[in-house]
């Protein structure tokens, strides 16, 4: 009688059990790491019906515990990087987030990242991370317009959706994203347009990346500019950035603001210009003088939509200025701050503003 191969049957039984587990329970849940920085989403107020509140009062663990259904979507871990209102966001905190993401970019323990953040400067942090994080894994910023104690707080569902987006394989390779009020934005195109409305973010020039509804995602767009692994910017070991100031243009603008910025040590200046990045002659002359001193001057616009084109209303070639193209003043400042970590010519800087 043939002798039974016990080891063979043990292996077959194990394979059967594994196949049953897959069929019964599906694939393993994605692993999502939440890096918390504070903001309104972590804010609290004395009552549920008051507009005033204090940002950054709730820990990431408490926020996750408030949405237990999120644990069905992903395996979640949280780290408290900071707990501030985004008006107090700094390059120091941005660097901590970027370095932590880059540290774990190739780890099998993380499939996607969520960053909780206040909305006031969220577009700046999102754009900074888009320039400096070296991963195709989803990096998703999320916040809220109402504190956690509000009657109809928007934070819990926003966080739930952000976790679902960060764990979605279809979100890979789309750059840094922002999830708010069921919309998925690109860091390149989003901007805050309302002081109080829950639909505070819009992407007016290039449109949405997708939409999300109770954890079900629909992606229909990719960013067109450089980001992530294709970005040339490296911040490992960086501890500070050159000073770049934003100066707001208006009727009868005084050029001494430009001179004062230079005196205070600015290496770059972004003009939030009128119309197509324009300003009065006295200020243009001050910008030209600044450029001759080696100060980089970028023309952006205070207008909500539209490009700032080169050599249209101002002779950028003659004056030595940079046109911001699709970047608003705050994103122009972020890009210039990062770009000035390395010595670059005006032509190289202009190309950067075209590509990013």
């Amino acid at each position: 009688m043939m002798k039974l191969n016990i080891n063979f049957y043990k292996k077959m039984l194990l394979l059967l059990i594994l196949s049953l587990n897959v069929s019964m329970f599906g694939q393993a849940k994605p692993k999502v790491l939440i890096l918390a920085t504070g903001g309104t989403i972590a804010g609290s107020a004395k009552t549920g019906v008051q507009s005033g509140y204090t940002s950054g009062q709730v820990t990431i663990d408490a926020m996750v515990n408030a949405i237990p259904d999120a644990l069905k979507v992903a395996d979640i871990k949280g780290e408290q990087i900071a707990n501030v209102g985004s008006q107090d966001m700094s390059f120091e905190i941005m660097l901590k987030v970027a370095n932590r993401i880059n540290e774990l970019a190739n780890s099998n323990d993380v499939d996607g990242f969520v960053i909780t953040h206040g909305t006031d400067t969220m577009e700046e942090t999102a754009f900074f991370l888009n320039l400096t994080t070296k991963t195709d894994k989803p990096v998703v910023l999320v916040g809220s317009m109402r504190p956690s104690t509000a009657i109809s707080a928007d934070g819990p569902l926003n966080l739930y959706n952000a976790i679902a987006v960060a764990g979605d394989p279809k979100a890979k390779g789309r750059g840094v994203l922002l999830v708010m009020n069921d919309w998925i934005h690109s860091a390149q195109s989003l901007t805050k347009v309302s002081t109080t409305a829950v639909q505070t973010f819009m992407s007016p020039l290039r449109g949405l990346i997708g939409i999300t509804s109770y954890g079900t995602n629909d992606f229909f767009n990719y960013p067109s500019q450089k980001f992530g692994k294709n970005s040339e910017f490296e911040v490992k070991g960086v501890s500070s950035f050159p000073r770049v100031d934003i100066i707001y243009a208006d009727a009868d603008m005084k050029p001494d603001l430009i001179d004062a910025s230079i005196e205070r040590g600015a290496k770059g200046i972004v003009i939030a210009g009128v119309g197509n990045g324009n300003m009065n002659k006295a200020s243009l002359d001050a910008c030209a003088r600044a450029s001759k001193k080696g100060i980089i001057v970028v023309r952006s616009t205070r207008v909500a939509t539209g490009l700032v084109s080169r050599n249209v209303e101002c002779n950028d070639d003659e004056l030595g200025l940079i046109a911001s193209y699709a970047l608003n003043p705050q994103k122009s400042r972020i890009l210039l701050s990062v770009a000035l970590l390395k010595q670059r010519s005006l032509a190289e800087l202009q190309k950067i503003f075209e590509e990013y």
Side-chain angles (χ1 to χ4, degrees):
M1 185 174 177
M2 185 179 295
K3 188 176 181 180
L4 292 175
N5 189 330
I6 301 299
N7 289 332
F8 170 78
Y9 285 105
K10 284 182 177 179
K11 290 179 180 178
M12 292 297 293
L13 180 60
L14 179 60
L15 288 173
L16 177 61
I17 292 172
L18 289 173
S19 66
L20 285 173
N21 283 339
V22 171
S23 62
M24 290 172 64
F25 304 110
Q27 295 180 344
K29 290 183 292 185
K31 303 169 185 175
V32 173
L33 176 63
I34 303 177
L35 303 176
T37 69
T40 303
I41 194 170
S44 65
K46 291 182 179 179
T47 73
V49 291
Q50 67 182 69
S51 57
Y53 62 92
T54 303
S55 296
Q57 297 298 297
V58 183
T59 66
I60 185 58
D61 290 337
M63 285 191 282
V64 172
N65 289 337
I67 48 170
D69 284 336
L71 297 174
K72 301 174 184 178
V73 175
D75 289 330
I76 302 168
K77 291 184 179 180
E79 295 182 10
Q80 198 78 43
I81 301 295
N83 214 354
V84 299
S86 68
Q87 70 275 8
D88 289 320
M89 182 53 57
S90 64
F91 277 122
E92 179 184 3
I93 298 173
M94 292 184 205
L95 280 170
K96 287 180 179 178
V97 176
N99 288 330
R100 186 61 174 144
I101 292 172
N102 287 333
E103 180 184 350
L104 298 172
N106 298 317
S107 172
N108 293 327
D109 294 330
V110 182
D111 297 309
F113 302 87
V114 170
I115 297 96
T116 60
H117 198 291
T119 60
D120 285 351
T121 58
M122 187 182 287
E123 64 188 277
E124 288 154 88
T125 298
F127 191 58
F128 177 85
L129 296 176
N130 211 41
L131 299 173
T132 59
T133 52
K134 307 296 184 179
T135 181
D136 289 332
K137 294 178 180 179
V139 176
V140 182
L141 277 80
V142 66
S144 73
M145 289 300 290
R146 297 169 180 162
S148 62
T149 50
I151 285 178
S152 55
D154 52 325
L157 183 55
N158 284 344
L159 181 56
Y160 178 85
N161 283 333
I163 291 168
V165 171
D168 192 334
K170 296 190 294 295
K172 291 181 178 179
R174 297 180 191 266
V176 173
L177 305 174
L178 181 147
V179 171
M180 288 274 291
N181 211 36
D182 297 348
W183 285 4
I184 306 172
H185 300 265
S186 164
Q188 291 176 342
S189 58
L190 71 96
T191 190
K192 187 174 182 178
V193 298
S194 174
T195 59
T196 57
V198 292
Q199 196 65 284
T200 188
F201 284 103
M202 296 287 177
S203 292
L205 289 182
R206 296 192 172 102
L208 297 175
I209 294 295
I211 56 176
T212 178
S213 179
Y214 296 99
T216 300
N217 310 315
D218 183 14
F219 296 92
F220 43 77
N221 201 358
Y222 281 91
S224 58
Q225 305 294 90
K226 281 186 175 181
F227 58 87
K229 287 185 176 180
N230 293 324
S231 171
E232 65 200 82
F233 304 115
E234 176 62 62
V235 294
K236 185 177 182 180
V238 172
S239 59
S240 62
F241 292 85
R243 175 170 172 166
V244 176
D245 292 340
I246 299 175
I247 296 177
Y248 196 90
D250 51 16
D252 200 24
M253 178 183 179
K254 304 304 179 185
D256 56 0
L257 292 175
I258 297 169
D259 298 327
S261 179
I262 297 170
E263 290 172 4
R264 298 297 293 178
K267 303 302 180 185
I269 296 172
V270 176
I271 304 294
V274 298
N276 197 345
N278 211 343
M279 67 202 86
N280 60 20
K281 184 179 184 306
S283 297
L284 272 175
D285 291 342
C287 288
R289 292 195 302 270
S291 180
K292 289 179 180 179
K293 295 178 181 178
I295 309 301
I296 306 302
V297 181
V298 175
R299 293 189 306 106
S300 185
T301 179
R302 69 184 197 181
V303 180
T305 64
L307 304 179
V308 173
S309 305
R310 187 169 179 81
N311 293 325
V312 177
E313 293 190 64
C314 304
N315 191 329
D316 294 305
D317 293 339
E318 181 179 293
L319 298 171
L321 310 181
I322 304 293
S324 70
Y325 286 88
L327 296 182
N328 61 21
Q330 52 268 39
K331 289 182 184 175
S332 295
R333 175 179 175 264
I334 293 293
L335 179 56
L336 187 57
S337 297
V338 174
L340 289 180
L341 289 171
K342 178 181 175 181
Q343 186 71 33
R344 303 175 195 269
S345 67
L346 285 176
E348 290 171 331
L349 288 168
Q350 184 63 81
K351 185 178 180 182
I352 282 172
F353 271 84
E354 293 170 14
E355 293 179 338
Y356 292 88

